[in-house]
Amino acid sequence: MENVVKTDRRILRTKQAITKSFLELFSEKDFEQITINEIAERANVNRGTIYLHYSDKYDLLDKCIEDHINELISLCTKQENPSVSQGMVQEPKPIFDYFRDNFPFFSAMFSNQRVFLFREQLLNFISVNLMVKMKKPDDQPDIDLELKAQFMASAFIGIVEWWIRHQMPHSTQFMADQVKSLFENNQVYLANK
Amino acid sequence: MENVVKTDRRILRTKQAITKSFLELFSEKDFEQITINEIAERANVNRGTIYLHYSDKYDLLDKCIEDHINELISLCTKQENPSVSQGMVQEPKPIFDYFRDNFPFFSAMFSNQRVFLFREQLLNFISVNLMVKMKKPDDQPDIDLELKAQFMASAFIGIVEWWIRHQMPHSTQFMADQVKSLFENNQVYLANK
DNA sequence: TAACACGTGTTGAATATTTAACGGCCGTTG
DNA sequence: CAACGGCCGTTAAATATTCAACACGTGTTA
């Protein structure tokens, strides 16, 4: 599960430079207009080096999305406090913090029409994450769990998207509190209530 | 005179990372407290790599200063407009722009007691630069040129230091205009008057 | 049509950097 | 005192990246 062998520093540095350069360009111009040459030059990396890690710019975009999704996943799983057995979803503030700290990326993602993949993966991740911990069929046995998870996940992403697109007009704490309230209205109770 | 052979990208990138890391640390703590380990770790570079380019942290500091002095020199010489024969000193705004764009570095330099070298080199550069173009012994033949150059250079650096230490309270354009006025008061006339 | 400029992927040889290890020095702690 | 931890400066071998050169496709222009 863990990477036992630490990856070479050069690889990490290079990938960082490439994705940083790429995401900058991504927020500046249309995806199709971006060339490998540009990315390489701005990253101060040889053009060929990019091909050592990514097959093309589509793959590069995919990997960027994947990385952030994985970051979100580890953020959520790592947060598992000892009271896991209660089946509660975790505190949303760290999630919002992550969105805020990576604002350029998510802003680019939400403002770019082409990126179905991102929305889809994010939605899937959220809904799965919600559903796993939401097993409370006591009160309303007639509501499908998966359906409800999708419903709540969509709502959550909708709020996030609105928040990002409006340049984060509220603090992450405020957003987290709002989300918690909205979730509680729908019988989804969060940890550290 | 020019570097005919372009240096390897890796060298440029590594040096950049090292100096950036070092200058950050330099602005955070006392020079003597800084360790090679820290620099390497923050630069995301192997410790040994630093020794490939610099013999120790003193050498590293020297090279940083040297680089900036050279940048200033090329900035001044490159600016030689066709009306060079008039013996005028160039417009000071680009110089102030350069100071502003490298604020972290100069701020660290000016706020650190230890760095005699920097002040000395900068002063020497300015005074030589002034003196070469200041040959106007018509009005006041009783004033030594070198002395006057030193005088004006010190005054100039004094203003720059004040400006940097006070977090650049005025625009570069404003500073340039002020300096031009002060110079004219002392019979030092600048280009593009 | 042909010539040209530009972006793409790919290759082999050169080279900069990493890793892991070594011995040494110094300050602290038992 | 000895043991220890931290930083130093250096090394050999492994490896990631660079550079320069390919062939290819695509549009532009004369």
Side-chain angles (χ1 to χ4, degrees):
Chain A
M1 204 62 69
E2 320 153 4
N3 260 1
V4 191
V5 278
K6 279 182 291 186
T7 49
D8 195 306
R9 262 216 186 93
R10 287 170 288 189
I11 297 180
L12 295 175
R13 245 193 300 122
T14 298
K15 283 190 174 176
Q16 252 178 249
I18 292 173
T19 55
K20 177 162 180 278
S21 154
F22 170 62
L23 290 178
E24 278 178 20
L25 287 165
F26 192 75
S27 69
E28 290 171 14
K29 55 163 73 176
D30 187 58
F31 178 61
E32 296 304 331
Q33 310 287 354
I34 300 175
T35 79
I36 298 286
N37 269 329
E38 275 178 315
I39 301 170
E41 195 163 345
R42 189 182 292 219
N44 207 18
V45 152
N46 189 279
R47 188 164 56 88
T49 306
I50 297 185
Y51 293 108
L52 293 177
H53 301 286
Y54 311 98
S55 56
D56 50 29
K57 65 178 181 180
Y58 303 96
D59 183 43
L60 172 52
L61 176 58
D62 288 355
K63 296 281 174 58
C64 285
I65 294 177
E66 201 182 321
D67 283 353
H68 278 287
I69 297 285
N70 284 335
E71 266 307 306
L72 277 170
I73 290 178
S74 78
L75 203 70
C76 289
T77 54
K78 161 173 45 185
Q79 202 185 8
E80 42 169 322
N81 44 12
S83 66
V84 144
S85 58
Q86 302 194 357
M88 288 172 167
V89 179
Q90 58 279 350
E91 175 72 18
K93 171 143 188 305
I95 313 286
F96 278 102
D97 287 341
Y98 184 78
F99 284 136
R100 180 201 52 198
D101 295 341
N102 298 278
F103 176 74
F105 172 76
F106 291 108
S107 178
M109 283 299 144
F110 279 128
S111 63
N112 200 305
Q113 297 284 23
R114 297 187 177 278
V115 194
F116 309 102
L117 196 62
F118 169 69
R119 252 201 109 79
E120 188 184 321
Q121 287 197 26
L122 184 56
L123 182 67
N124 186 54
F125 158 64
I126 302 273
S127 68
V128 165
N129 197 266
L130 275 178
M131 193 168 57
V132 167
K133 310 197 171 186
M134 204 174 60
K135 49 177 167 48
K136 285 200 165 197
D138 309 1
D139 343 287
Q140 299 170 307
D142 52 344
I143 293 194
D144 183 50
L145 265 188
E146 183 170 355
L147 189 150
K148 186 170 180 181
Q150 283 288 331
F151 174 81
M152 297 303 297
S154 294
F156 178 72
I157 292 190
I159 276 197
V160 170
E161 181 168 356
W162 169 88
W163 183 59
I164 294 284
R165 291 185 102 121
H166 287 75
Q167 312 289 316
M168 306 184 293
H170 301 299
S171 73
T172 57
Q173 184 61 64
F174 178 83
M175 293 301 293
D177 291 342
Q178 293 291 304
V179 163
K180 249 179 10 180
S181 295
L182 291 170
F183 273 21
E184 282 173 3
N185 288 346
N186 290 275
Q187 281 88 37
V188 180
Y189 299 98
L190 308 181
N192 315 334
K193 71 161 181 316
Chain B
M1 203 63 67
E2 319 151 4
N3 260 0
V4 192
V5 279
K6 279 182 292 186
T7 49
D8 195 308
R9 262 215 185 93
R10 286 171 288 188
I11 297 179
L12 295 176
R13 241 193 304 120
T14 298
K15 283 189 175 176
Q16 252 178 250
I18 293 174
T19 54
K20 176 162 181 278
S21 154
F22 169 63
L23 290 178
E24 279 178 20
L25 287 165
F26 192 75
S27 69
E28 289 172 14
K29 56 163 75 175
D30 186 59
F31 178 62
E32 297 304 331
Q33 310 287 354
I34 301 175
T35 80
I36 297 285
N37 269 329
E38 274 178 316
I39 300 171
E41 193 163 347
R42 189 182 290 219
N44 208 18
V45 151
N46 188 279
R47 188 163 55 86
T49 306
I50 297 186
Y51 293 108
L52 293 177
H53 301 286
Y54 311 97
S55 55
D56 49 31
K57 66 178 179 178
Y58 302 95
D59 184 44
L60 173 51
L61 176 58
D62 287 353
K63 296 280 174 58
C64 286
I65 294 177
E66 200 182 320
D67 284 353
H68 278 287
I69 297 285
N70 285 334
E71 266 307 306
L72 278 170
I73 290 178
S74 78
L75 204 70
C76 289
T77 54
K78 161 172 46 186
Q79 203 184 9
E80 41 168 324
N81 43 13
S83 66
V84 143
S85 58
Q86 302 194 358
M88 288 171 166
V89 179
Q90 59 278 349
E91 176 73 19
K93 172 145 188 302
I95 313 286
F96 277 103
D97 287 342
Y98 183 79
F99 285 136
R100 180 200 53 199
D101 295 341
N102 298 279
F103 176 74
F105 172 76
F106 291 108
S107 178
M109 283 299 143
F110 279 126
S111 63
N112 201 305
Q113 297 285 22
R114 295 186 179 279
V115 194
F116 309 103
L117 196 63
F118 168 70
R119 251 201 110 80
E120 188 184 320
Q121 288 196 28
L122 185 56
L123 183 67
N124 185 53
F125 158 63
I126 302 273
S127 67
V128 166
N129 198 265
L130 274 178
M131 195 168 56
V132 167
K133 310 196 170 186
M134 204 175 59
K135 49 178 167 50
K136 285 201 164 199
D138 309 1
D139 344 286
Q140 300 171 308
D142 51 343
I143 292 193
D144 182 51
L145 265 189
E146 183 170 355
L147 188 150
K148 187 169 178 181
Q150 283 289 331
F151 174 81
M152 297 304 297
S154 294
F156 178 72
I157 292 189
I159 276 196
V160 170
E161 181 168 356
W162 169 88
W163 183 59
I164 295 284
R165 292 186 101 121
H166 286 75
Q167 313 288 316
M168 305 183 294
H170 301 299
S171 73
T172 57
Q173 183 62 62
F174 178 82
M175 292 301 292
D177 291 342
Q178 293 291 307
V179 163
K180 247 174 20 174
S181 297
L182 291 170
F183 273 22
E184 283 171 3
N185 287 347
N186 290 275
Q187 281 86 37
V188 181
Y189 299 97
L190 308 181
N192 313 335
K193 71 159 183 319

